[in-house]
């Protein structure tokens, strides 16, 4: 079982869209996939038209594997199940702060329910918190969407420093796979930022970039991954390219 976390310490960068499209791509490729929504906004579950279990409350996510298993929902797509979030997930940091071995509780919880899956994709909330520390420890690969702007470049550097400080040293950085999101190549700022970041982090940034596209925004209208309703559009091709690079990195490890 491999764990792929879609994470950013900055909101509004396309993290949930990446989670949904990558989980769908893994399933299409034949992997048995669980998309686990850790963001209490529950957008991943919304995209797949599934409702969360209200019985998965409080510490149960980390301590009761049977309750977690009951909360997993099937999707309209082969090989793809969803663990939707509910609003109680907003208190994860409170629960984790009260638990022993708090940094490894997420990994332990996912192992307990992940035996039937080849890949678990995590849709993570946009912050740096105790839950973030759990995500970094549990994940085999951390996929980071980066809008090529000055502020996003700064938050990406902060994330690299944070990962390096989590005990794995520079080795933790090897888990990071960033890709440029919502790219508008007519903007000089985007082009210059992409060039600068590729030069600074040649092993951390993927080659494929996701263009700014209304098709991604329309995922909320169609409530489906882009490939299901616009398979020939640039954004669908970009997600396919990002998936290919991520899968290659997982198999390389």
């Amino acid at each position: 079982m491999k764990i792929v976390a879609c994470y950013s310490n900055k909101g509004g960068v396309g993290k949930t869209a990446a989670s949904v499209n990558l989980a769908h791509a893994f399933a299409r490729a034949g992997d048995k996939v669980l998309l686990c929504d850790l963001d209490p906004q529950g957008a991943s579950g919304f995209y797949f038209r599934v409702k969360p279990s209200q019985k998965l409350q409080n510490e149960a996510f980390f301590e009761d594997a049977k309750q977690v298993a009951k909360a997993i929902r099937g999707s309209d797509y082969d090989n793809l199940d969803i663990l939707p979030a509910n609003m109680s997930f907003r208190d994860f940091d409170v629960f984790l702060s009260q638990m022993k071995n708090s940094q490894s509780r997420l990994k332990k919880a996912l192992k307990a329910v992940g035996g039937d899956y080849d890949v678990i994709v995590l849709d993570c909330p946009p912050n740096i918190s105790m839950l973030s520390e759990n995500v970094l420890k549990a994940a085999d690969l951390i996929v980071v969407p980066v809008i090529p702007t000055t502020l996003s470049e700064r938050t990406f550097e902060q994330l690299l420093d944070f990962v390096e400080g989590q005990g794995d040293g520079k080795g933790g950085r090897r888990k990071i796979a960033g890709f440029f999101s919502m790219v508008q190549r007519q903007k000089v700022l985007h082009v210059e930022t992409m060039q600068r970041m590729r030069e600074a982090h040649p092993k951390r940034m993927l080659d494929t970039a996701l263009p700014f596209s209304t098709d991604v925004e329309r995922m909320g209208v169609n409530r489906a991954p882009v490939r299901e309703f616009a398979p020939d559009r640039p954004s669908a091709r970009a997600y396919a390219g990002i998936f290919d690079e991520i899968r290659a990195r997982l198999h390389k490890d």
Side-chain angles (χ1 to χ4, degrees):
M1 180 188 75
K2 296 289 188 182
I3 299 175
V4 177
C6 292
Y7 175 80
S8 173
N9 44 334
K10 188 176 187 304
V13 297
K15 169 185 55 59
T16 295
S19 304
V20 167
N21 284 287
L22 290 175
H24 178 256
F26 274 113
R28 281 181 57 94
D31 291 316
K32 182 68 174 173
V33 181
L34 175 65
L35 173 57
C36 179
D37 191 353
L38 297 175
D39 191 332
Q41 296 180 68
S44 287
F46 173 82
Y47 281 138
F48 284 109
R49 303 172 186 268
V50 297
K51 294 182 178 180
S53 168
Q54 297 304 325
K55 295 182 179 179
L56 188 61
Q57 295 281 337
N58 303 324
E59 300 92 338
F61 185 97
F62 301 101
E63 297 183 333
D64 190 342
K66 289 184 179 178
Q67 196 65 51
V68 175
K70 288 181 182 178
I72 293 174
R73 305 286 189 252
S75 74
D76 293 336
Y77 308 102
D78 292 341
N79 298 323
L80 179 56
D81 291 340
I82 315 296
L83 178 56
N86 63 54
M87 286 304 291
S88 75
F89 286 19
R90 72 186 187 282
D91 295 324
F92 272 177
D93 267 19
V94 176
F95 306 142
L96 287 167
S97 68
Q98 298 168 351
M99 294 176 176
K100 294 181 179 179
N101 301 317
S102 59
Q103 281 192 325
S104 58
R105 298 300 299 216
L106 177 62
K107 187 172 186 176
K108 184 178 179 181
L110 294 175
K111 278 190 172 181
V113 298
D116 294 334
Y117 298 99
D118 301 307
V119 180
I120 295 179
V121 177
L122 304 178
D123 180 12
C124 307
N127 50 35
I128 293 180
S129 62
M130 191 168 287
L131 179 61
S132 305
E133 295 175 10
N134 272 260
V135 167
L136 299 178
K137 194 172 187 66
D140 296 289
L141 196 65
I142 301 164
V143 180
V144 185
V146 180
I147 300 174
T149 62
T150 305
L151 190 57
S152 290
E153 182 179 8
R154 177 175 177 269
T155 55
F156 186 75
E157 297 286 350
Q158 289 176 331
L159 176 60
L160 291 176
D161 291 341
F162 180 68
V163 170
E164 193 172 317
Q166 290 303 298
D168 294 333
K170 291 186 179 298
R173 290 191 173 206
R174 286 197 290 268
K175 291 184 177 182
I176 301 294
F179 73 88
F180 292 112
S181 176
M182 304 183 195
V183 173
Q184 299 179 69
R185 294 188 182 276
Q186 69 273 27
K187 292 185 175 180
V188 174
L189 174 64
H190 281 204
V191 173
E192 291 181 345
T193 302
M194 291 171 65
Q195 181 177 353
R196 186 168 57 250
M197 290 186 68
R198 288 195 190 285
E199 290 174 355
H201 310 289
K203 295 182 178 179
R204 303 280 66 83
M205 301 305 301
L206 302 181
D207 293 333
T208 307
L210 177 69
F212 182 85
S213 171
T214 56
D215 294 322
V216 178
E217 296 176 325
R218 291 189 67 78
M219 286 173 58
V221 177
N222 292 283
R223 300 185 72 174
V226 173
R227 183 162 180 161
E228 289 295 320
F229 62 88
D232 298 323
R233 299 282 290 172
S235 55
R237 293 196 295 271
Y239 278 126
I242 292 166
F243 167 70
D244 287 343
E245 291 190 65
I246 289 171
R247 202 165 193 229
R249 291 197 181 201
L250 282 177
H251 286 294
K252 180 180 180 181
D253 295 336

